[in-house]
Amino acid sequence: MTMIRLAFKGFLHYWKISICLCLGITLASSILTGSLFVGDSVDQTLRNSAFQRIGSVKSALIAGDRFFTSDLASKVKQSIQNNISTAALNLPGILTTPDKTKRVNRINLYGIDNDFWQLAGNSNDKITITNNKFLAIGSALAEQKQLQIGDRVIIKVEMPGHVSRDAPLSGESGKLAVISSEITHIVSAQSGGSFSLRAEQSSALNVFVPLKTLQEELSKEDRANIILSSSSNNFEKAVQNSWTYRDLELNYTSAPDSGINFTTFQSDRVFISDKVESAIMAVDNNAESILSYLVNDIRVENKSVPYSVGTGIGPQSAKLLGIQVPRKNEVFIHHWLSDGIEKGGLDIGAGDTINISYFSVINTREFTNVGDQLDENGLEDESDKRELKVTSIIPADNPGLRMKWVPEFPGLNTAKTLSSWESGLPLDTKRIRPEDEKYWDKYRATPKMFISIDLARGYWGNRFGKTTSILVSKLNSENFHERISPNLKLTDLGMQIRYPQNEAERSVSNALNFGSLFASLSGFLILAALLLSLMLCLFAVESRTTQLGALGALGFTQKKLRKLLLVEFLISVLLGSVLGALGGYLYTKVTLVALSSIWIDAAAGVQFVFEAKFDSLIYGTLGIFLFAMIVIRLSVNKVTSRAPRILLASSNGIGLNCNAKKKEKRRSSLLKSTVIIISFSLGACCVALGYGSEGEKLAGSFFGAGFFFLCGFIQVFSYYLKTLSIYTRNKKSSLNSIARRNAARRLGRSLAVAATVASGVFLIISVNAFRLSSSTNDSSNQSGTGGYEFFAKSTLPIYEDLNDVKERDNFGFEDYTTSEINFVPFRVIKDGEEASCQNLNHAIKPRVLGVNPEPLIRDKSFRFAAVLADPNTTQTKNKSNWEALNNESPQNIIPIIGDKASVMWAMKKKLGDFIDYTADNGQSLKLQVVGLLENSTLQGNLVMSEANFIKYFPSASGYQMFLVNSGALNKISESKMIADVTRALEQRGMEFVNSDKKLEEYTRVQNTYISIFSVLGGLGLLLGTLGVGMLIARSVIERRSELSIMTALGFRRTTLTRMLISEHLFLVAFGIISGILASVISIFPNISGKGAQFPIVFLFGIVLLISMGSITFCIISARLSLNGNLIQGIRSE
Amino acid sequence: MDHRMIVQLDKISKSYPEGSDNKKREIFNDLSLTIESGQSVSVVGPSGCGKSTLLNIIGTLDSPDSGEIEVCGSNISNLNDKVLSALRADKIGFVFQSHHLLPQISVIENVILPNLASSSPLEQSECSNTAIQLLESVGMADHAHKMPSEISGGEMQRVAVVRSMINSPELLLADEPTGALDRERSEELIALLLRLCDEHNTGLILVTHDGKTASRMERNLVFEGTSIVEV
């Protein structure tokens, strides 16, 4: 006989306890391990999805709104060993079928070559482009729209301009390229059909055509805007070493035969970026900038010449023209202007004064006429004058005039006449005279006036640039890269070098930790399972007190007794923990099925794969094992620390506390009352603090209030139970009053039951009170929709002001006034990722929006959870929180407003935190969170002021997201209006969604998490009521002799059963009532109009469930326990 | 025969709290007593007079409020649990009214249980042999491998007696060992106790309320109020 053997024999003999303990631990371990496995599964699913999405692409060059040569990819490929590099074109587009029955407003169109499939796909099933009729679609698109090989589809994309469509002289907007072809292939996700560089788990809807085909359609021959490579090492270096001026969209002009050393670099993008200009100036000290622009009017008195080109020059250019350097307000004019009026000129000469006017960009393709001496209302404005003095006339035969002063403005080359030039500016072609056309025929866009470069920049410089040509002397097409590349990288121009595999890893690693989330949601259930099994364990120990006392009398030390019991329970706990691994597997499987079905909203529609990591197994099993053993140890210590005499004198644990010496004095009634008053007072303070607060402060006050109120109620109950145990003459002696007094006998146990039930009820009801309202009744400005009835998105940018009557007329919905439909437009960054609960991946590049906040400020739209106080101003009560977007900030710090859920959960940031971001020109930015919106339709986005957006992201032209106000009288007319406007904006891929429905998509996610918690918490509570049943069983064992006496006195078994049930349900009832009261009082500040709803039906349901569960378990336990011959119990008396 | 003092009580007093208002009930006051090895002593008195308390104090399961106690040559006044447990394991045997056999182990395993607690345990085989011999001496050898639930109440009590003797204690304390037995079994058990104590020169202190049983002991101590009188 050894201690181990003795312990093992005890384990076998008390097999019922051993099994129950093992089961309880198995349950707890299963849930914890299973929750962690769920996290592993989510992680692996996202990982699989992410790496399938990017294939074997390890690095990529993304050009943004630029286009480099497709040859750059070949050079990169040659300079890196053993790699595949390929160029591609990628643009957003719209897909329809000829019969218009199928439409997809957002597809990704790729122009690719055969190398693309080697990179994008992981399967051996390689696709080959054999001819220009090739058109493949991804399987996700095919499934969604039921498309098959052979179906004809029409793809529309915006014709890319050379420059942002917001820029002046950028050409006409709204031009589309159309590809109509039959589907030749459907590409599976494994083969690259879902290829995307964006970290979103929803499958990209892709269409693939041959690169050359797309280049031709877009008039971008030999151009690409993405390079994909299988190499990550040296990619950036290879790119940097391989680009030429052509990749910067520059062209080189020289006129060697003219005898004039006119050598320039001009940009296809009209304006040369400041970075390129600085890099050229740094290596060529003779380089000089030139700025050419369209001048609307050159006027002298009542004579004017329309639509001429003016050019700003410096000393070198002046030398080439053989003129002096123009000084401020001086102008040198083309001889044509000096001609007589009959020839179209102004009949002016040196010394005369001219006035000019020109268009200046205000906003998206919104121009104001500067220099026309009229204000915005058309009234005379003397200050709006641009007056120049003619210094001299450049003769007609000046060879300098024949130089290429003007870059290739869009549309210029193809314009046969001046009137037909689609400049993108609002020209009044009626003003163009035959003489002007003659000039055009003879001289094309030769400038009619030359001013100083500084004056020209002051007039015509804009956010897109202040230089259209650079005159160079030391640079040429051969040495450009060599001389410039040390000072210029492609990333300086807004191109990005990305490492998709690293990004995919980061997006998955930083994603929401589903494992911890699920473990938290399951916390109450785990706790209930543990408590149940440990309660069993304690009962088991208590029932063997006399045995332990006898062993103590035999000479076993307290340490040996502890060891004996611990080893005995260790076997159950170890077995339970290990079995928990198997249980965890089952739990995970069930949960994944639930996440794919009833809880699909929490998982954004993802289909999960099962994955279980060894770490999770260890944490789950070991965690529960250690926790259980610690608690068991404490329970065992509690009993074994008693002297053997006391243990011997107790009977199965009864009397254990009675015989113990009271080490503490009883608290006086006064002290108890004080504690109660303090608890309730603190609770009330927390409630008071909760009023008017938001976010964490509200949550803190809520849980604080709940805790204090629960403590207070438990104290009250304790006091009440103690008064019950004191006999008074006035007390009525009934079975119910005896039952209640019985509850007071084991005060600690009774309070534990009541407190457990109360806590569980409090948690479940309160968490459900945070269930977000998806009610469609709240249409106020302070709601989650901001008061806007619709939320709209367009695939192709809309440059026009949709609130302008003329533009509505152009689009074809002029019948609707702005009071009927009104738009608040948002600019949208390219390739931004949704950072919301609908994207399980961590957004590497969160979507940023730019908005003019005035309408939002005026209407005080949306409800704010928190706003950062601007230290520079005093925030007044009536001030709109949107004004925070206009806060003055240090350089490179940009205030942004985001939805609280997105910022806190998806981006893991809080108010005042900074988010790192990169501007188009490669500049590092810090976006500071200055406001948090409460549950809004803007979830997933970060909003900055339009001014900042334009400044830092000029390549994202036009608007692609809209909040829409509808003033329609009724639903029918509203539906018609929306249908009409959708049709009118169809070519831009405009799509309207009811704001309430959009909000519901987000609230469904949060509400689903709450549902999960409720289900798991409810199970935990049910388990807790099972504990009440066990208490009854224990109680019967302890009081067997007493119940025997009652039987002998004539009480029937049914009466005793009723008494037992009444005694324990009394505890449960108190627990329920105090839990409800505590939660109602605590959540009151939250439910008063904050978008939360009080779950009355749910409350009723949970009370019913707990009550039914308690009654059921109590009845079963009482009946089973009172089975057998009760009279036996008094035979020992 | 060895007449060494195995128990020496010198002016011990004991009282217990009574009621909720800090009152104390005196059990005994300035009690002195000596017992020699091999002696059999009965302690008799009405219910609640303090018989079991006296036994618990001698058996180191309780401590007096004042006075000195020497048991089996050790002054037990300020000893810790470990030392007291060792004393109980090696030198004192207990027999209670209830047998307190462990239901999960067999008869022989119950008998050799105290060996696990001993500070100098015997080898398993030696201990088992001793146990068998002792069981034989009480006619229980055939039941050695049965579980306690398979033997009668009287047989269980005999096993409890054997268990108390396995470590050859110097002192055996029996607290109403026949309380749960009928007349015939009671007499058998008392005879067994006396024989074994005589054979092993073990002192015996037996608490009983039965006069006839008390008269079979060499010495009879009677509780009168808070003191003991030897009759």
Side-chain angles (χ1 to χ4, degrees):
Chain A
M1 172 59 67
T2 60
M3 289 291 282
I4 304 289
R5 189 179 157 80
L6 184 59
F8 186 66
K9 287 229 167 181
F11 166 76
L12 289 177
H13 180 79
Y14 297 103
W15 60 271
K16 288 179 192 166
I17 294 285
S18 302
I19 285 177
C20 289
L21 181 60
C22 182
L23 282 174
I25 298 296
T26 301
L27 184 61
S29 178
S30 300
I31 296 162
L32 182 59
T33 311
S35 300
L36 296 175
F37 284 168
V38 167
D40 294 340
S41 301
V42 170
D43 184 69
Q44 191 59 39
T45 304
L46 293 180
R47 198 172 294 280
N48 288 352
S49 164
F51 285 94
Q52 184 177 84
R53 176 171 54 78
I54 60 171
S56 52
V57 175
K58 288 193 178 149
S59 44
L61 175 67
I62 316 289
D65 68 338
R66 286 175 172 269
F67 294 86
F68 40 72
T69 62
S70 36
D71 193 44
L72 181 59
S74 311
K75 291 184 207 163
V76 167
K77 189 174 176 178
Q78 280 162 17
S79 57
I80 306 175
Q81 274 187 336
N82 299 325
N83 91 103
I84 304 169
S85 293
T86 184
L89 274 170
N90 170 228
L91 293 138
I94 303 163
L95 178 144
T96 56
T97 49
D99 58 5
K100 298 200 177 171
T101 54
K102 295 174 187 174
R103 182 184 179 88
V104 183
N105 270 333
R106 177 94 202 184
I107 56 120
N108 298 311
L109 179 63
Y110 288 93
I112 46 105
D113 60 17
N114 281 320
D115 280 345
F116 172 83
W117 301 115
Q118 292 189 62
L119 285 171
N122 287 326
S123 77
N124 293 327
D125 193 18
K126 293 283 183 264
I127 298 163
T128 309
I129 302 169
T130 50
N131 56 48
N132 60 3
K133 287 191 182 350
F134 177 93
L135 189 145
I137 65 172
S139 53
L141 176 57
E143 267 171 45
Q144 197 184 98
K145 289 296 171 186
Q146 304 293 306
L147 292 167
Q148 298 167 348
I149 292 175
D151 288 348
R152 180 163 282 273
V153 291
I154 300 167
I155 317 290
K156 292 176 191 165
V157 295
E158 186 186 34
M159 284 286 284
H162 291 282
V163 65
S164 167
R165 292 290 189 194
D166 285 340
L169 302 166
S170 59
E172 285 299 305
S173 68
K175 281 189 169 175
L176 300 177
V178 180
I179 297 173
S180 174
S181 188
E182 285 179 5
I183 299 171
T184 59
H185 294 75
I186 293 176
V187 186
S188 66
Q190 291 86 342
S191 298
S194 297
F195 178 80
S196 173
L197 295 178
R198 286 159 69 146
E200 290 174 353
Q201 78 267 358
S202 53
S203 289
L205 304 177
N206 294 335
V207 177
F208 306 93
V209 295
L211 178 60
K212 276 208 164 10
T213 303
L214 190 53
Q215 285 170 335
E216 282 164 13
E217 287 296 331
L218 299 178
S219 303
K220 287 286 179 192
E221 284 77 7
D222 297 322
R223 292 281 166 173
N225 62 2
I226 306 183
I227 292 179
L228 304 171
S229 176
S230 61
S231 166
S232 55
N233 297 332
N234 303 318
F235 177 77
E236 191 169 351
K237 193 174 166 192
V239 166
Q240 182 62 9
N241 289 343
S242 304
W243 61 261
T244 68
Y245 69 94
R246 295 294 301 137
D247 296 304
L248 305 185
E249 296 176 282
L250 294 175
N251 46 68
Y252 176 72
T253 308
S254 73
D257 299 330
S258 65
I260 299 173
N261 189 17
F262 189 90
T263 312
T264 62
F265 280 97
Q266 293 175 332
S267 175
D268 293 342
R269 298 170 62 79
V270 178
F271 297 97
I272 294 178
S273 90
D274 292 348
K275 293 264 177 150
V276 171
E277 185 182 0
S278 306
I280 292 174
M281 296 301 182
V283 300
D284 186 343
N285 47 13
N286 289 330
E288 191 175 272
S289 302
I290 299 167
L291 174 61
S292 294
Y293 202 77
L294 184 70
V295 177
N296 295 346
D297 250 336
I298 303 175
R299 294 189 311 279
V300 172
E301 291 168 357
N302 58 350
K303 299 169 281 184
S304 74
V305 170
Y307 306 128
S308 312
V309 175
T311 298
I313 56 171
Q316 302 292 338
S317 305
K319 211 168 157 185
L320 289 172
L321 283 167
I323 59 176
Q324 298 163 20
V325 179
R327 290 184 294 217
K328 192 179 172 184
N329 296 340
E330 282 185 352
V331 62
F332 291 81
I333 60 172
H334 193 285
H335 73 92
W336 186 90
L337 270 182
S338 65
D339 278 348
I341 296 165
E342 68 285 355
K343 288 185 184 170
L346 292 171
D347 193 19
I348 53 171
D352 286 331
T353 302
I354 62 171
N355 280 286
I356 65 168
S357 66
Y358 51 88
F359 284 121
S360 180
V361 172
I362 303 173
N363 213 337
T364 298
R365 302 186 74 84
E366 203 176 318
F367 304 101
T368 183
N369 202 358
V370 177
D372 61 353
Q373 298 177 51
L374 296 172
D375 65 15
E376 59 197 25
N377 297 316
L379 301 171
E380 272 196 36
D381 180 7
E382 274 297 308
S383 64
D384 184 27
K385 207 188 251 189
R386 299 293 180 269
E387 201 171 79
L388 300 164
K389 191 169 177 191
V390 179
T391 303
S392 80
I393 297 161
I394 303 173
D397 57 356
N398 187 319
L401 282 178
R402 293 194 294 277
M403 297 300 107
K404 197 164 183 287
W405 296 103
V406 178
E408 294 297 336
F409 289 144
L412 195 64
N413 257 354
T414 54
K416 287 199 168 75
T417 63
L418 177 58
S419 316
S420 65
W421 177 28
E422 292 174 341
S423 65
L425 294 170
L427 306 185
D428 180 3
T429 53
K430 289 200 234 22
R431 296 184 57 226
I432 298 172
R433 309 161 300 172
E435 293 81 9
D436 298 316
E437 292 293 0
K438 279 184 188 160
Y439 181 95
W440 182 264
D441 288 340
K442 193 170 181 185
Y443 301 111
R444 297 294 286 182
T446 301
K448 292 189 185 113
M449 49 173 275
F450 293 88
I451 58 176
S452 77
I453 182 67
D454 292 336
L455 184 64
R457 282 177 166 174
Y459 285 166
W460 307 319
N462 55 74
R463 69 174 191 269
F464 301 99
K466 50 184 180 359
T467 302
T468 51
S469 312
I470 301 179
L471 196 65
V472 293
S473 64
K474 293 181 184 169
L475 285 174
N476 56 48
S477 58
E478 304 296 320
N479 68 7
F480 185 88
H481 176 266
E482 185 198 330
R483 302 289 301 274
I484 296 294
S485 61
N487 294 328
L488 186 72
K489 289 195 205 138
L490 293 187
T491 48
D492 293 335
L493 304 176
M495 297 195 203
Q496 296 170 46
I497 293 202
R498 291 173 60 175
Y499 299 97
Q501 287 199 348
N502 293 349
E503 286 172 10
E505 182 59 50
R506 254 185 23 241
S507 76
V508 173
S509 306
N510 290 326
L512 178 67
N513 190 332
F514 240 75
S516 303
L517 175 69
F518 237 81
S520 313
L521 294 175
S522 310
F524 195 73
L525 183 54
I526 295 171
L527 208 60
L530 275 173
L531 284 174
L532 196 66
S533 35
L534 296 172
M535 190 163 69
L536 266 172
C537 175
L538 188 61
F539 288 166
V541 173
E542 283 182 349
S543 66
R544 288 158 67 178
T545 48
T546 45
Q547 200 185 97
L548 294 170
L551 288 172
L554 290 177
F556 279 73
T557 57
Q558 286 178 1
K559 192 175 167 185
K560 273 199 167 130
L561 290 177
R562 270 199 293 274
K563 185 179 167 186
L564 182 68
L565 287 173
L566 283 174
V567 171
E568 191 176 314
F569 292 129
L570 176 71
I571 303 169
S572 298
V573 173
L574 198 59
L575 201 58
S577 301
V578 169
L579 283 175
L582 180 63
Y585 169 80
L586 292 169
Y587 181 83
T588 309
K589 281 287 190 185
V590 169
T591 305
L592 292 181
V593 166
L595 284 172
S596 301
S597 52
I598 51 169
W599 293 335
I600 195 166
D601 292 318
V606 175
Q607 295 295 320
F608 294 102
V609 297
F610 175 82
E611 174 77 7
K613 290 190 180 148
F614 186 67
D615 288 357
S616 302
L617 180 66
I618 295 298
Y619 291 139
T621 52
L622 200 60
I624 294 296
F625 173 79
L626 287 173
F627 181 79
M629 287 311 297
I630 288 169
V631 176
I632 289 173
R633 169 78 191 236
L634 292 172
S635 308
V636 163
N637 278 7
K638 188 181 163 197
V639 173
T640 57
S641 60
R642 308 277 189 190
R645 171 178 60 81
I646 295 168
L647 294 174
L648 277 166
S650 74
S651 173
N652 290 332
I654 302 166
L656 199 60
N657 293 324
C658 298
N659 291 339
K661 264 190 188 170
K662 296 262 189 297
K663 289 183 185 173
E664 298 163 8
K665 291 183 185 171
R666 282 188 193 151
R667 291 187 299 184
S668 66
S669 298
L670 183 62
L671 182 60
K672 278 181 219 162
S673 306
T674 308
V675 169
I676 291 169
I677 290 168
I678 289 173
S679 295
F680 283 129
S681 303
L682 286 173
C685 288
C686 288
V687 170
L689 281 171
Y691 269 103
S693 65
E694 309 273 359
E696 286 102 355
K697 202 175 166 196
L698 177 66
S701 74
F702 157 71
F703 281 109
F707 172 75
F708 286 119
F709 275 114
L710 281 174
C711 285
F713 286 132
I714 296 298
Q715 288 291 323
V716 165
F717 192 52
S718 165
Y719 190 72
Y720 171 66
L721 287 177
K722 283 199 178 141
T723 59
L724 281 181
S725 63
I726 299 168
Y727 172 74
T728 68
R729 289 176 78 174
N730 294 331
K731 278 237 170 73
K732 215 167 65 168
S733 205
S734 68
L735 207 58
N736 279 336
S737 75
I738 292 170
R740 283 198 295 277
R741 272 184 269 166
N742 284 341
R745 284 164 63 173
R746 296 297 293 263
L747 191 64
R749 201 183 280 177
S750 299
L751 291 179
V753 168
T756 304
V757 172
S759 305
V761 167
F762 168 77
L763 269 177
I764 291 174
I765 291 175
S766 310
V767 167
N768 270 275
F770 284 101
R771 195 180 279 269
L772 295 166
S773 171
S774 55
S775 158
T776 55
N777 291 333
D778 190 357
S779 57
S780 70
N781 290 3
Q782 293 289 294
S783 67
T785 63
Y788 297 96
E789 285 78 8
F790 293 92
F791 185 94
K793 287 203 291 195
S794 68
T795 306
L796 307 181
I798 295 176
Y799 305 96
E800 297 81 1
D801 179 3
L802 293 178
N803 295 321
D804 184 87
V805 172
K806 261 197 341 211
E807 300 299 350
R808 290 189 176 200
D809 187 37
N810 288 338
F811 280 112
F813 63 99
E814 67 280 10
D815 291 341
Y816 297 105
T817 64
T818 50
S819 56
E820 287 173 292
I821 184 165
N822 188 275
F823 295 83
V824 175
F826 288 75
R827 292 176 181 266
V828 182
I829 201 147
K830 276 188 184 4
D831 299 325
E833 292 151 1
E834 170 135 357
S836 75
C837 48
Q838 294 200 317
N839 183 8
L840 293 178
N841 290 279
H842 173 71
I844 301 293
K845 184 182 174 185
R847 193 185 301 135
V848 170
L849 310 180
V851 71
N852 174 2
E854 291 312 311
L856 303 170
I857 291 170
R858 181 190 63 226
D859 297 335
K860 294 200 177 109
S861 304
F862 295 98
R863 187 171 52 238
F864 278 76
V867 179
L868 198 66
D870 180 9
N872 297 323
T873 65
T874 47
Q875 195 97 355
T876 64
K877 203 176 175 181
N878 287 330
K879 207 176 167 193
S880 166
N881 292 323
W882 283 102
E883 297 205 38
L885 288 184
N886 296 329
N887 285 353
E888 278 179 28
S889 304
Q891 181 77 354
N892 295 2
I893 293 178
I894 303 163
I896 52 127
I897 288 173
D899 188 275
K900 189 173 79 168
S902 300
V903 171
M904 286 177 66
W905 288 100
M907 288 179 244
K908 300 187 178 80
K909 298 282 183 188
K910 55 186 193 308
L911 190 72
D913 281 356
F914 294 90
I915 299 167
D916 291 326
Y917 220 82
T918 308
D920 274 358
N921 63 359
Q923 186 185 1
S924 293
L925 303 174
K926 287 207 177 294
L927 313 184
Q928 187 182 25
V929 181
V930 297
L932 294 172
L933 299 174
E934 186 78 61
N935 188 37
S936 70
T937 48
L938 292 174
Q939 263 192 60
N941 305 295
L942 302 174
V943 184
M944 64 171 62
S945 68
E946 187 171 21
N948 280 327
F949 189 96
I950 288 168
K951 183 177 172 188
Y952 293 106
F953 309 108
S955 64
S957 49
Y959 303 101
Q960 285 180 273
M961 206 176 271
F962 305 84
L963 293 172
V964 184
N965 253 323
S966 160
L969 291 172
N970 55 54
K971 287 283 172 214
I972 297 171
S973 56
E974 185 177 78
S975 299
K976 184 182 176 307
M977 176 178 69
I978 294 301
D980 288 344
V981 176
T982 305
R983 228 178 351 263
L985 295 167
E986 202 176 52
Q987 298 283 42
R988 304 292 177 94
M990 189 70 136
E991 209 171 319
F992 288 83
V993 172
N994 187 288
S995 293
D996 286 328
K997 283 204 167 41
K998 182 154 180 68
L999 199 58
E1000 203 181 294
E1001 288 169 15
Y1002 294 121
T1003 59
R1004 261 210 302 270
V1005 177
Q1006 182 164 330
N1007 287 345
T1008 302
Y1009 284 127
I1010 290 175
S1011 295
I1012 295 171
F1013 176 78
S1014 303
V1015 167
L1016 297 173
L1019 283 173
L1021 207 50
L1022 210 57
L1023 218 55
T1025 58
L1026 178 61
V1028 176
M1030 282 169 47
L1031 265 181
I1032 290 182
R1034 176 74 189 147
S1035 186
V1036 168
I1037 292 168
E1038 288 173 357
R1039 289 148 59 184
R1040 203 162 186 88
S1041 52
E1042 161 193 331
L1043 293 169
S1044 303
I1045 297 287
M1046 289 178 83
T1047 307
L1049 288 174
F1051 284 91
R1052 292 173 57 193
R1053 200 181 296 268
T1054 49
T1055 310
L1056 294 179
T1057 306
R1058 246 195 355 260
M1059 184 189 74
L1060 280 172
I1061 292 169
S1062 165
E1063 181 183 322
H1064 290 85
L1065 284 185
F1066 167 60
L1067 301 175
V1068 171
F1070 176 81
I1072 292 173
I1073 291 168
S1074 50
I1076 292 173
L1077 280 175
S1079 56
V1080 167
I1081 297 168
S1082 304
I1083 64 177
F1084 199 73
N1086 183 57
I1087 62 171
S1088 45
K1090 290 226 171 25
Q1093 52 187 17
F1094 193 79
I1096 296 194
V1097 171
F1098 181 77
L1099 168 69
F1100 181 73
I1102 208 87
V1103 168
L1104 195 65
L1105 180 71
I1106 296 168
S1107 305
M1108 295 301 296
S1110 304
I1111 292 170
T1112 306
F1113 289 129
C1114 286
I1115 290 173
I1116 293 171
S1117 187
R1119 285 212 173 136
L1120 286 175
S1121 305
L1122 289 175
N1123 266 350
N1125 193 349
L1126 283 175
I1127 295 296
Q1128 290 282 359
I1130 56 174
R1131 287 225 171 121
S1132 60
E1133 287 293 322
Chain B
M1 196 169 274
D2 181 4
H3 293 290
R4 187 164 49 90
M5 292 297 168
I6 53 169
V7 176
Q8 280 185 322
L9 306 178
D10 185 23
K11 292 184 182 160
I12 61 164
S13 302
K14 183 71 179 175
S15 58
Y16 282 123
E18 190 175 52
S20 59
D21 48 0
N22 289 338
K23 276 192 188 158
K24 288 201 173 187
R25 185 169 78 89
E26 209 172 46
I27 308 297
F28 37 80
N29 187 27
D30 280 348
L31 191 141
S32 295
L33 177 66
T34 57
I35 297 171
E36 293 174 4
S37 66
Q39 259 187 351
S40 59
V41 179
S42 69
V43 178
V44 182
S47 292
C49 67
K51 309 186 292 294
S52 297
T53 303
L54 178 65
L55 211 67
N56 285 338
I57 287 172
I58 294 170
T60 73
L61 294 179
D62 201 351
S63 54
D65 296 337
S66 62
E68 296 288 317
I69 309 174
E70 204 175 288
V71 176
C72 301
S74 303
N75 186 320
I76 64 171
S77 302
N78 292 309
L79 296 181
N80 62 28
D81 170 65
K82 193 175 171 184
V83 177
L84 289 175
S85 297
L87 192 65
R88 286 198 296 275
D90 298 334
K91 296 192 178 173
I92 301 174
F94 280 91
V95 180
F96 299 100
Q97 182 175 345
S98 174
H99 50 82
H100 293 311
L101 294 184
L102 298 192
Q104 62 262 39
I105 50 178
S106 65
V107 163
I108 188 166
E109 286 172 328
N110 266 289
V111 169
I112 64 177
L113 198 56
N115 191 49
L116 282 181
S118 174
S119 55
S120 43
L122 299 171
E123 284 288 325
Q124 284 285 320
S125 53
E126 192 184 338
C127 192
S128 295
N129 289 339
T130 308
I132 291 288
Q133 279 168 19
L134 281 170
L135 284 170
E136 271 175 4
S137 71
V138 300
M140 289 291 295
D142 291 341
H143 301 294
H145 298 288
K146 285 186 181 172
M147 303 301 283
S149 56
E150 293 173 313
I151 57 179
S152 69
E155 287 169 334
M156 283 197 273
Q157 198 62 320
R158 273 193 269 167
V159 173
V161 169
V162 170
R163 180 182 65 186
S164 69
M165 299 298 292
I166 189 68
N167 283 344
S168 303
E170 291 179 26
L171 176 67
L172 183 64
L173 304 173
D175 190 351
E176 301 207 45
T178 58
L181 302 175
D182 57 38
R183 167 66 56 191
E184 199 183 329
R185 297 286 167 265
S186 297
E187 285 179 7
E188 279 176 15
L189 192 78
I190 297 300
L192 177 64
L193 276 170
L194 287 169
R195 176 169 63 81
L196 286 174
C197 287
D198 188 48
E199 282 173 10
H200 293 88
N201 197 34
T202 300
L204 171 65
I205 302 177
L206 184 128
V207 165
T208 181
H209 58 266
D210 179 33
K212 202 173 171 192
T213 302
S215 65
R216 293 176 71 172
M217 306 294 131
E218 284 176 43
R219 290 169 66 184
N220 300 116
L221 306 176
V222 178
F223 262 90
E224 280 185 8
T226 58
S227 56
I228 282 187
V229 172
E230 186 159 357
V231 299

